[in-house]
C-alpha cells in the first residue's frame, strides 16, 4: 500500500493536487472537508454538527472527525492506498491515523506539505468562492480564522512527520502540472526510502 498525507493551509491546492496524485497512483481519496460537506448536503446529524464549526472557520472536534475518518478507512478492504487530504489537522488526529493504519498493517509513507504565502492563500480562497459556493471561502474574517487555526493547531503536526523522516516540503506556487511533478518526485523518493 501507499499512504500519503497531503498537508497545507486552506487554499494551498490540496484538492487539485489530490486529483493528480489519485490519477497517477490509483489511491483512495479521503478528504475530511469533502465528507463533511457531503453530510451537510444530506442534512445528516454529523453534517449539522460539522456545519456549526465550519461556518466559523473552526475545526470540527477531534472525537467526531477521528471516528468519521476511521469508519471511512475501514470501508475499503483492499485499497492500493489512501491519500489523506485535510487530515490530520491536530496531533491527536495524527496519532489516531497511525493507529488505524497499524490495524491494517500499514503506515503513512509520506507527508507532502504544500507551502504557499498567506497573501496568496487569501487571494486564492476569495477567487475560489466565486465558483465553490463555499460560505467559508467568501468571508475574509472566516478565511483569516482558518489560516490562524492552521498556524496554531495544524502546522505543528508537521513535526510529528519530520520526526519520522516522512516530511517533504513542496513549493505550492507555480503551474499546477509543475507542482504535481514536485509531488510525484517526493512520492518516488519516499517509496525508494521505505
Ligand atoms: P477543507 O475542505 O479541508 O478546507 O475543510 C473545510 C472545513 O472542514 C475546515 O475549516 C474545518 O472546519 C473542517 N475540517 C476538515 N477537515 C478537518 C479535520 N481533519 N479536523 C477538523 N476539522 C476539519
Amino acid at each position: 500500500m501507499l499512504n500519503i498525507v497531503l498537508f497545507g493551509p486552506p487554499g494551498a491546492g490540496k484538492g487539485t493536487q489530490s486529483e493528480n496524485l489519485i490519477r497517477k497512483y490509483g489511491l483512495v481519496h479521503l478528504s475530511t472537508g469533502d465528507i463533511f460537506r457531503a453530510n451537510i448536503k444530506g442534512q445528516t446529524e454529523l453534517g449539522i454538527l460539522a456545519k456549526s464549526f465550519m461556518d466559523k472557520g473552526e475545526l470540527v472536534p477531534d472525537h467526531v472527525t477521528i471516528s468519521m475518518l476511521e469508519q471511512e478507512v475501514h470501508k475499503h478492504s483492499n485499497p492500493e492506498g489512501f491519500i489523506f487530504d485535510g487530515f490530520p489537522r491536530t496531533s491527536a488526529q495524527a496519532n489516531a491515523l497511525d493507529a488505524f493504519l497499524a490495524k491494517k498493517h500499514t503506515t503513512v509513507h509520506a507527508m507532502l506539505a504544500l507551502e504557499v504565502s498567506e497573501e496568496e492563500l487569501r487571494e486564492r480562497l476569495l477567487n475560489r468562492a466565486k465558483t465553490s459556493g463555499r460560505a467559508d471561502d467568501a468571508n475574509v474574517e472566516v478565511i483569516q480564522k482558518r489560516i490562524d487555526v492552521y498556524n496554531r493547531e495544524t502546522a505543528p503536526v508537521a513535526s510529528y512527520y519530520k520526526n519520522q523522516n516522512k516530511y517533504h516540503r513542496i513549493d505550492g506556487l507555480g503551474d499546477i502540472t509543475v507542482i504535481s511533478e514536485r509531488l510525484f518526485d517526493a512520492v518516488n523518493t519516499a517509496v525508494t526510502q521505505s
Side-chain angles (χ1 to χ4, degrees), residues 10 14 31-34 36-37 50 53-54 57-62 65 85-89 93 128 134 136 146:
K14 298 188 294 293
S31 155
T32 39
D34 284 354
F36 286 138
R37 280 184 288 276
F53 294 93
M54 291 166 77
E58 290 171 4
L59 293 183
V60 178
D62 275 340
T65 307
D85 164 1
F87 185 97
R89 266 174 150 104
Q93 293 180 14
R128 186 169 78 181
R134 283 177 56 170
D136 61 348
R146 288 161 69 200

Side-chain angles (χ1 to χ4, degrees), residues 1 75-81 104:
M1 275 177 78
K75 273 185 194 166
H76 302 272
S77 54
N78 207 4
E80 291 287 319
K104 284 186 165 293

Side-chain angles (χ1 to χ4, degrees), residues 107-148:
T107 186
V108 169
H109 297 92
M111 191 262 219
L112 311 177
L114 285 167
E115 291 216 347
V116 174
S117 73
E118 283 193 18
E119 210 180 300
E120 170 82 10
L121 294 175
R122 280 189 279 271
E123 207 179 302
R124 283 190 191 180
L125 290 169
L126 283 172
N127 234 336
R128 186 169 78 181
K130 293 177 194 156
T131 51
S132 70
R134 283 177 56 170
D136 61 348
D137 285 347
N139 178 310
V140 274
E141 276 150 34
V142 175
I143 288 176
Q144 193 54 48
K145 175 80 187 204
R146 288 161 69 200
I147 293 174
D148 293 345

